[in-house]
């Protein structure tokens, strides 16, 4: 059988291809014009069941025009799936009597949706775009913005069923249907902390609240959390293109094996999970459970609650909601799409793409300002050139804080060995959410004050040539000393390292006061640095303000409690070490003397008693550590992981990237929300190091002093 060869599209920026997947028992292919709308388009009841792998499937391919008023587009389904790792094409499919190789994941998906009797009309990127023709890809990929809305339905293929997937799909479908019908979709994530409380009698949401509380009690500990974690861990949820495909689709449904759930029911079920997580966590933390099997079960449930990372899927759901209501402030720019979807809040999970360039191109169909930016889909351009171009154009449009996404380590290099400029984000690596944006609902800093990049200020870069970026700004100070890095994995960080982090900041505060540079607005504000700096001056809100805000008196109390806790832990640990050393030394001595039991040694007995006495207040403090101030402070300090404290020559104190050094500089660029750390080059200009928190200048105080403007040349 001959190898399939694509016929060139006459007008590739206005035409697309569709395939018709022939049924398992077909007599012959029909023309697209004569084919009835597939049952697949009309509901989930007639979806196919997996067929055997006995031979290649068959389909026909047809070309159609988009936006042809005289000839309407035939009904078709757009498919959303993963290519697999590696995306090797090894499975044959027959198209118009010729063989084309496709990936195993696509072959599996098609065998699941193939009908026994009906011909299915589909758009699938791997088949409908000539993947080996770069010029065609450059023109066809932008058309996805029109293809998915034109489809009657978008079907998301999560993959074949496993031993647990049917149960969680059924659970989500049932809970999603019930919560959707009683109004769950009217709730916003910002309502989570207060929605479970009783409220005023005339609250229009009281009916939904009551039903939600009843459902939460009914579900209890029966929520299949491990199974949900496994479902959301499937590769589809971490594919960059899914954000656009789900957002653009007219009607979207998710399929795993033979199970199906609608987009609306899935969204409602996941929102229910957020309430469930809060409900169960709060209940377990305030309960007086102690001892035995109950305590073990509680610990297991708390562990299961922490298994699930819903951030990627909620980013996808948010993108759909914003696109479907894209007017005014709801329209998303490329900068906001990259900031909300292209980065992650942890080191573990991030969106991925087979081609790294799709980390940018995958959002073009949703971005409202692509034409204004002037960036074109071009798969012939190297990743180095593309990523630099994106950073450059976003800065030119005033999005100076795209720089906060330029983080080390960078691994990308071009085919000829060129590296990314230090100021350009590397979208092939893991990019962590900027420290000053712990919550998407609260971005509390404006270090450059009123110099927001707008109007004339929008052109703040005075020159952008190749890999060089020139930005206007001011020099704040030079770094004098840097402290220890708060480790990346704060979950396993010993108390000693956390205590050292706090102690170094305390010593820098004393050093700052001794220098007497008068850099704070008041002496009172200067004394607050010791508890504001370790948390980057942010804290978890509560009640009607549940997200991240500037630190308050609660954080001062939290610092006091946490510092005391870590100090006690270290004191007890040192006593334990001393006791262990004493026991080992005495054991050697008594063994030499032929004495087998040294438990009555008066020095050992005395040391044990001292340890028991010292550990009493520690045990009491740990028992009561669910204090909201302490919990908030610990959580916010953990968000500063992989940062190190610093003190500048004038006495500014703050936190900066792990790889910052003494003699680096603190600068403020016009229009930036954060200060940035730069490093001087021997040949002139600067290397970009990263985002910083600098206490006392985060609200524009330094800019209010009318400092001298400079031009910083970044390489």
């Amino acid at each position: 059988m001959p190898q399939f060869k694509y016929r060139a599209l006459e007008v590739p920026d206005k035409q697309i291809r569709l395939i018709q997947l022939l049924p398992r028992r077909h007599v012959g292919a029909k023309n697209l014009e004569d084919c009835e709308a597939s049952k697949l388009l009309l509901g989930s009841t007639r979806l196919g069941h997996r067929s055997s792998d006995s031979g290649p499937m068959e389909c026909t391919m047809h070309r159609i025009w988009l936006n042809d008023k005289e000839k309407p587009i035939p009904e078709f389904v757009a498919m959303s799936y993963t290519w697999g790792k590696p995306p090797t094409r090894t499975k044959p499919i027959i198209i118009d009597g010729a063989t084309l190789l496709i990936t195993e994941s696509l072959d599996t998906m098609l065998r699941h949706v193939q009908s026994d009797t009906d011909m299915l009309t589909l758009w699938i990127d791997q088949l409908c775009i000539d993947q080996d023709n770069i010029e065609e890809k450059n023109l066809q990929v932008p058309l996805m913005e029109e293809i998915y809305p034109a489809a009657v339905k978008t079907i998301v293929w999560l993959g074949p069923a496993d031993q647990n997937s049917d149960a969680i799909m059924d659970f989500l479908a049932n809970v999603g249907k019930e919560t959707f019908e009683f109004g769950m979709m009217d709730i916003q994530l910002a309502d989570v902390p207060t929605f479970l409380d009783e409220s005023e009698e005339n609250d229009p949401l009281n009916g939904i609240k009551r039903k939600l509380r009843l459902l939460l009690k009914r579900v209890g500990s029966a929520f299949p959390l491990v199974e949900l974690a496994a479902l959301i861990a499937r590769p589809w949820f971490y594919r960059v293109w899914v954000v656009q495909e789900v957002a653009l689709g007219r009607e979207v449904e998710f399929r795993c094996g033979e199970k199906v759930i609608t987009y609306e029911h899935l969204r409602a079920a996941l929102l229910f999970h957020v309430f469930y997580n809060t409900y169960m966590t709060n209940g377990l933390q305030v309960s007086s459970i102690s001892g035995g099997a109950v305590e073990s079960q509680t610990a297991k449930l708390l562990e299961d609650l922490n298994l699930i990372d819903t951030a990627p899927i909620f980013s996808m759901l948010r993108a759909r909601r914003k696109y479907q209501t894209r007017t005014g402030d709801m329209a998303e720019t490329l900068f906001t799409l990259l900031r909300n979807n292209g980065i992650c809040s942890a080191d573990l999970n991030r969106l991925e793409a087979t081609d790294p360039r799709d980390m940018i191109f995958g959002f073009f169909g949703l971005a409202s300002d692509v034409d204004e930016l002037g960036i074109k889909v071009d798969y012939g351009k190297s990743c180095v050139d593309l990523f630099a171009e994106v950073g450059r154009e976003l800065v030119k449009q005033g999005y100076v804080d795209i720089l906060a996404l330029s983080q080390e380590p960078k691994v990308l290099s071009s085919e000829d060995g060129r590296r990314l400029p230090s100021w350009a984000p590397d979208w092939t690596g893991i990019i962590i959410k900027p420290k000053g944006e712990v919550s998407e609902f609260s971005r509390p800093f404006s270090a450059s004050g009123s110099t927001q990049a707008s109007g004339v200020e929008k052109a703040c870069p005075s020159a952008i040539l190749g890999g060089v970026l020139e930005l206007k700004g001011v020099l704040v100070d030079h770094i004098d000393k840097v402290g220890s890095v708060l480790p990346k994995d704060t979950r396993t960080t010993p108390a000693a390292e956390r205590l050292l982090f706090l102690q170094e900041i305390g010593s820098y505060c004393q050093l700052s006061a001794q220098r007497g540079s008068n850099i704070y607005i008041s002496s009172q504000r200067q004394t607050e640095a010791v508890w504001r700096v370790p948390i980057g001056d942010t804290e978890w809100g509560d009640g009607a303000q549940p997200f991240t805000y500037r630190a308050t008196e609660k954080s001062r109390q939290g610092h006091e409690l946490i510092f005391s806790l870590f100090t006690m832990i270290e004191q007890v640990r040192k006593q334990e070490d001393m006791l262990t050393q004493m026991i080992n030394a005495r054991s050697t001595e008594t063994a030499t003397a032929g004495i087998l039991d040294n438990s009555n040694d008066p020095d050992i007995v005395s040391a044990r008693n001292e340890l028991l006495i010292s550990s009493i207040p520690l045990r009491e403090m740990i028992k009561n550590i669910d204090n909201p101030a302490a919990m908030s402070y610990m959580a916010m300090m953990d968000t500063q992981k992989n940062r190190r404290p610093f003190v500048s020559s004038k006495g500014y104190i703050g936190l900066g990237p792990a790889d910052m050094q003494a003699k680096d500089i603190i600068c403020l660029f016009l229009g930036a929300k954060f200060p940035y750390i730069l490093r001087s080059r021997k040949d002139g200009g600067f290397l970009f190091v990263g985002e910083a928190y600098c206490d006392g200048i985060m609200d524009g105080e330094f800019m209010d002093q009318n400092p001298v403007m400079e031009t910083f040349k970044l390489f």
Side-chain angles (χ1 to χ4, degrees):
M1 187 174 292
Q3 295 296 310
F4 178 80
K5 293 183 179 180
Y6 284 91
R7 290 173 53 202
L9 294 168
E10 297 173 16
V11 187
D13 61 344
K14 294 181 180 179
Q15 285 180 305
I16 64 170
R17 300 182 183 93
L18 296 176
I19 69 157
Q20 289 183 287
L21 182 62
L22 304 186
R24 298 186 186 102
R25 298 189 295 271
H26 66 278
V27 178
K30 301 178 183 179
N31 291 326
L32 183 64
E33 293 80 358
D34 301 328
C35 184
E36 295 181 0
S38 168
K39 303 298 182 187
L40 183 62
L41 307 178
L42 306 178
S44 303
T45 57
R46 294 295 301 276
L47 285 171
H49 300 277
R50 178 173 173 80
S51 62
S52 66
D53 298 335
S54 58
M57 292 169 288
E58 296 186 42
C59 62
T60 61
M61 182 173 287
H62 307 269
R63 294 178 295 176
I64 66 166
W65 290 81
L66 286 173
N67 302 318
D68 187 341
K69 296 180 180 179
E70 297 182 0
K71 194 173 185 180
I73 298 174
E75 291 185 330
F76 68 94
V77 170
M79 304 300 295
S80 177
Y81 65 106
T82 62
W83 279 45
K85 287 184 178 181
T88 308
R89 288 175 271 182
T90 58
K91 294 288 186 178
I93 188 172
I94 299 173
I95 305 177
D96 294 331
T99 301
L100 179 70
L101 294 180
I102 59 176
T103 61
E104 184 175 357
S105 63
L106 176 55
D107 182 81
T108 300
M109 178 187 74
L110 290 175
R111 291 185 187 279
H112 273 80
V113 302
Q114 187 179 31
S115 170
D116 285 334
T117 58
D118 296 304
M119 190 180 303
L120 310 181
T121 305
L122 308 171
W123 185 88
I124 303 171
D125 62 347
Q126 194 177 142
L127 294 178
C128 298
I129 298 176
D130 183 354
Q131 298 295 328
D132 298 322
N133 185 332
I134 291 179
E135 291 184 5
E136 180 175 299
K137 284 179 66 176
N138 290 344
L139 295 172
Q140 286 281 288
V141 167
L143 290 182
M144 291 168 69
E145 181 181 358
E146 301 177 47
I147 293 170
Y148 278 89
V152 175
K153 178 185 293 185
T154 296
I155 291 184
V156 171
W157 171 247
L158 300 178
D162 59 29
Q163 59 182 356
N164 297 316
S165 62
D166 282 359
I168 186 59
M169 287 291 286
D170 285 341
F171 179 88
L172 293 174
N174 293 333
V175 167
K177 182 175 185 296
E178 182 173 349
T179 52
F180 178 80
E181 289 177 351
F182 71 57
M184 179 68 81
M185 301 291 269
D186 295 331
I187 307 172
Q188 302 298 319
L189 284 176
D191 297 322
V192 171
T194 58
F195 207 76
L196 299 176
D197 300 332
E198 296 288 348
S199 57
E200 300 178 3
E201 293 183 2
N202 60 354
D203 185 345
L205 298 177
N206 268 339
I208 301 176
K209 287 186 178 184
R210 283 191 293 271
K211 292 177 181 178
L212 176 58
R213 285 194 293 269
L214 288 172
L215 181 57
L216 288 167
K217 291 177 181 177
R218 194 168 82 235
V219 171
S221 60
F223 198 120
L225 296 167
V226 175
E227 291 79 4
L228 177 59
L231 184 73
I232 294 181
R234 287 181 176 238
W236 182 88
F237 290 101
Y238 300 96
R239 177 175 168 264
V240 70
W241 282 107
V242 307
V243 178
Q244 174 173 285
E245 290 164 0
V246 170
L248 294 174
R250 193 190 315 177
E251 177 185 339
V252 180
E253 68 179 29
F254 294 76
R255 181 171 182 185
C256 182
E258 310 298 338
K259 299 293 183 178
V260 178
I261 182 172
T262 66
Y263 165 83
E264 290 76 14
H265 290 172
L266 178 62
R267 180 185 168 197
L270 291 171
L271 187 55
F272 173 78
H273 167 262
V274 175
F275 284 99
Y276 176 84
N277 204 334
T278 303
Y279 173 77
M280 294 300 291
T281 301
N282 290 346
L284 292 169
Q285 286 175 346
V286 301
S287 66
S288 57
I289 296 173
S290 62
V294 175
E295 185 176 24
S296 176
Q297 292 168 8
T298 302
K300 178 64 168 61
L301 182 54
L302 283 170
E303 181 182 342
D304 290 347
L305 286 169
N306 292 323
L307 278 175
I308 302 168
D309 178 15
T310 55
I313 193 167
F314 272 110
S315 294
M316 174 193 67
L317 300 180
R318 177 185 57 229
R320 176 174 173 83
R321 177 174 58 85
K322 289 196 172 186
Y323 181 80
Q324 297 293 332
T325 56
R326 57 190 185 285
T327 55
D329 294 339
M330 294 300 287
E332 291 198 280
T333 63
L334 182 61
F335 174 69
T336 58
L337 285 162
L338 289 172
R339 183 184 63 194
N340 292 336
N341 300 282
I343 63 178
C344 52
S345 56
D347 291 346
L348 301 177
N349 297 319
R350 60 182 289 270
L351 294 179
E352 298 179 344
T354 303
D355 187 323
R357 286 164 287 213
D358 287 336
M359 293 300 298
I360 304 298
F361 298 150
F363 297 111
F364 273 21
L366 302 177
S368 61
D369 60 347
V370 169
D371 291 340
E372 185 179 356
L373 291 170
I375 306 171
K376 304 294 184 184
V377 173
D378 183 358
Y379 285 95
K381 184 174 293 184
S382 73
C383 292
V384 166
D385 289 335
L386 175 64
F387 294 172
E389 179 186 16
V390 170
R392 184 167 60 240
E393 295 304 321
L394 288 174
V395 168
K396 285 169 65 176
Q397 292 299 320
Y399 300 112
V400 182
D401 288 308
I402 190 70
L403 296 174
L405 306 185
S406 178
Q407 303 167 5
E408 294 293 338
K410 292 182 182 177
V411 297
L412 179 65
S413 61
S414 67
E415 293 76 7
D416 57 5
R418 289 181 300 118
R419 301 296 300 271
L420 265 177
S422 66
W423 49 267
D426 181 0
W427 299 101
T428 64
I430 292 176
I431 299 178
I432 304 299
K433 185 179 297 184
K435 304 296 184 181
E437 293 187 0
V438 176
S439 165
E440 67 170 288
F441 300 97
S442 175
R443 299 186 172 96
F445 300 118
S446 184
S448 65
S450 60
T451 64
Q452 297 300 313
S454 61
V456 176
E457 298 284 2
K458 182 175 286 189
C460 57
S462 56
I464 305 177
L465 303 170
V468 181
L469 176 66
E470 292 189 359
L471 287 170
K472 291 181 180 178
V474 298
L475 171 65
V476 177
D477 202 5
H478 291 77
I479 301 296
D480 180 27
K481 299 178 184 296
V482 296
S484 305
V485 177
L486 187 64
K488 280 187 176 183
D489 191 353
T490 50
R491 295 169 296 181
T492 59
T493 301
E497 296 188 40
R498 295 174 185 262
L499 181 60
L500 177 61
F501 184 71
L502 295 174
Q503 289 173 332
E504 286 180 335
I505 291 172
S507 68
Y508 289 166
C509 288
Q510 293 176 356
L511 187 59
S512 174
Q514 292 169 4
R515 290 181 175 172
S517 297
N518 196 30
I519 57 178
Y520 282 93
I521 58 174
S522 69
S523 58
Q524 170 63 33
R525 178 61 184 81
Q526 187 169 20
T527 63
E528 294 175 358
V530 70
W531 55 266
R532 289 186 183 274
V533 172
I535 55 175
D537 201 17
T538 54
E539 76 179 21
W540 291 124
D542 49 30
Q545 295 185 325
F547 297 103
T548 308
Y549 296 88
R550 298 297 285 274
T552 65
E553 172 66 13
K554 182 174 79 170
S555 290
R556 186 198 64 76
Q557 298 170 6
H559 175 269
E560 184 177 318
L561 290 167
I562 292 300
F563 191 87
S564 298
L565 173 64
F566 291 158
T567 302
M568 282 189 194
I569 291 174
E570 271 305 285
Q571 289 173 347
V572 170
R573 185 190 63 79
K574 289 178 180 178
Q575 286 182 282
E576 288 176 339
D577 290 346
M578 291 175 62
L579 176 59
T580 301
Q581 292 171 9
M582 182 185 297
I583 291 172
N584 291 338
R586 294 298 169 86
S587 295
T588 302
E589 295 171 4
T590 54
T592 303
I595 301 172
L596 300 179
D597 185 8
N598 61 9
S599 59
N600 293 321
D601 184 301
D603 291 336
I604 292 177
V605 171
S606 175
R608 279 193 176 125
N609 289 337
E610 288 180 9
L611 179 59
L612 287 172
I613 293 171
S614 299
S615 62
I616 290 173
L618 175 60
R619 287 197 299 269
E620 287 299 314
M621 178 169 281
I622 291 175
K623 187 185 299 183
N624 299 309
I625 202 60
D626 60 351
N627 176 286
M631 292 178 68
S632 171
Y633 201 87
M634 180 80 82
M636 297 315 298
M637 194 166 79
D638 284 352
T639 65
Q640 305 303 316
K641 62 185 179 180
N642 207 34
R643 270 184 154 183
R644 65 169 78 237
F646 67 79
V647 61
S648 74
S649 300
K650 295 177 184 176
Y652 286 107
I653 310 157
L655 301 172
D659 54 340
M660 71 180 298
Q661 304 171 3
K663 298 184 180 180
D664 287 346
I665 69 167
I666 312 165
C667 73
L668 287 172
F669 298 127
L670 297 186
K673 292 181 173 62
F674 320 117
Y676 290 100
I677 305 297
L678 305 181
R679 182 169 301 149
S680 296
R681 297 171 72 245
K682 292 181 180 179
D683 299 332
F686 298 90
L687 293 177
F688 180 83
V689 179
E691 170 206 3
Y693 168 81
C694 187
D695 197 54
I697 71 168
M698 299 302 291
D699 295 309
E701 299 94 329
F702 191 84
M703 300 301 293
D704 291 341
Q705 302 172 24
N706 297 316
V708 177
M709 292 289 169
E710 301 182 34
T711 298
F712 296 88
K713 183 181 291 188
L714 309 184
F715 288 83

